[in-house]
Structure formats: C-alpha cells, structure tokens
Amino acid sequence: QATADRYAEDPWDHVIDQSVREAGDAVTMAAIIRELAIPRAQQTQATSRRIGARLRWLGMEKKRSRKSEDGYVWIKRETLPDV
C-alpha cells in the first residue's frame, strides 16, 4: 500500500493496463506501442523503459520469444513454469 501511495500515475498507465487485460497472459512491447500510437521517430529506449516499468509494476516479466516482433514477450509472473 505504501508503495502504491508513492507511485505517480503516468498518462500511459490506463492504455498499458488495458492492453495487458485484453492480451491475457502475454503481451508484446510492439502491441503496447501500437495502442499508444507512438510515432516511429519517437519510439526510443526511454519509451521502452517507461512501458517496461509499468509492466513490471503490474507483475509482468520479460521473456524471450520467437513469436514476438522484437524477440520478447511480457508474461504474468505467476504463469511462469517452476524451474
């Protein structure tokens, strides 16, 4: 609760949250960037870090995937197999 109180809401949070809900167990960075309608010229590493921070806050983890455009997919931590 204390962490949530300190979190400053980002204007992108609503769109990212909606993308995660609609995607189910896995979502790609490219899909979220499309939903945010970020022009290609403005798609920077800072953009990815900003989105990634929200995904981690939502309990997502970045994993390699051949099915993703950029080689990675974000999945819910609780859906990870025990290793």
Side-chain angles (χ1 to χ4, degrees):
Q1 178 66 17
T3 303
D5 292 339
R6 289 192 306 258
Y7 181 77
E9 188 170 335
D10 187 299
W12 292 357
D13 286 355
H14 176 72
V15 176
I16 295 169
D17 296 356
Q18 184 69 27
S19 293
V20 169
R21 275 193 298 276
E22 290 174 1
D25 289 338
V27 67
T28 64
M29 184 71 67
I32 293 172
I33 288 172
R34 275 193 299 276
E35 287 294 318
L36 289 166
I38 300 170
R40 192 154 206 50
Q42 294 176 358
Q43 294 176 19
T44 64
Q45 195 170 18
T47 301
S48 295
R49 282 194 300 267
R50 185 173 165 187
I51 296 168
R54 181 61 179 182
L55 291 172
R56 281 187 293 282
W57 192 86
L58 291 170
M60 307 289 282
E61 187 170 336
K62 185 175 168 181
K63 291 291 180 182
R64 286 201 104 8
S65 172
R66 291 184 211 165
K67 297 176 185 178
S68 173
E69 296 168 38
D70 66 357
Y72 293 94
V73 66
W74 288 81
I75 59 174
K76 294 179 183 175
R77 284 191 195 119
E78 62 268 12
T79 62
L80 293 175
D82 293 333
V83 178

